[in-house]
Amino acid sequence: ILIADQVVAMKVLTSQERETVRRFQREAAIAARLHHPNIVRIYDYGVQALYYYTALEYVPGGSLRELLERRRRLPLTTALTIFRQVAAALDYAHSLGVVHRDVSPGNILLNEDVSGAWLTDFGIARDTAQPITVVHSIMGTPGYLSPEHALSATSVTHLSDLFSLGVVLYQMLSGVLPWAEQTGLPEGPAFGPPL
């Protein structure tokens, strides 16, 4: 969508379920206060004809997940560039009391030449100043969950984000996840040494 000669991405919520709407609004509110070069910016959010929407910065290169599906592994310099930029975004978010809780390749966007990385999707982020986490719920992308994720979403801290980013780095360099089975789920296998 073009807004004042600027291409933006639009995220539209089709559900009218109360909790989903509340989380969508909260995600927009959290992301709107995060101003960092490696976090996707929010330009506007609101409701139009019963549909909630968010206008976001458009990143033309796609997600890290898509890149890994095509290439499987990345060169060390490329992986470190992505890692450093996402780590800087997380450091900034953590300094404001925001824990992302879903650091995974699907939530890392890249520009076309893979020289820039942006953290996105704060849909399940926790703002330590205004927590609304449901106790005993598991939130995040399987395969990238920290040991704390298996306990509860309320146990997840900024250190959990760093654990997940470490899993992403491992995958970028090796082409696989550190464990053969998805760890971090209550009924899943225990964490052990990586492959």
Side-chain angles (χ1 to χ4, degrees), residues 31-61:
R33 70 183 182 96
L34 299 176
H35 303 285
H36 188 275
N38 299 108
I39 294 177
V40 172
R41 288 185 308 237
I42 284 192
Y43 299 120
D44 187 29
Y45 68 96
V47 62
Q48 183 68 38
L50 299 178
Y51 289 101
Y52 290 85
Y53 70 88
T54 304
L56 305 149
E57 175 180 11
Y58 174 70
V59 179

Side-chain angles (χ1 to χ4, degrees), residues 121-152:
D121 196 354
F122 285 79
I124 63 170
R126 185 176 73 204
D127 183 346
T128 55
Q130 299 176 346
I132 64 165
T133 301
V134 178
V135 178
H136 304 302
S137 64
I138 305 297
M139 297 179 170
T141 302
Y144 303 91
L145 304 176
S146 70
E148 302 82 39
H149 278 87
L151 301 174
S152 172

Side-chain angles (χ1 to χ4, degrees), residues 90-107:
L90 285 172
D91 184 53
Y92 171 78
H94 295 161
S95 74
L96 297 179
V98 175
V99 179
H100 190 280
R101 296 197 298 189
D102 195 13
V103 178
S104 63
N107 291 330

Side-chain angles (χ1 to χ4, degrees), residues 142-145 177-185 187-193 195:
Y144 303 91
L145 304 176
L177 289 171
W179 301 278
E181 297 180 62
Q182 293 180 344
T183 54
L185 298 171
E187 296 83 27
F191 285 90
L195 297 173

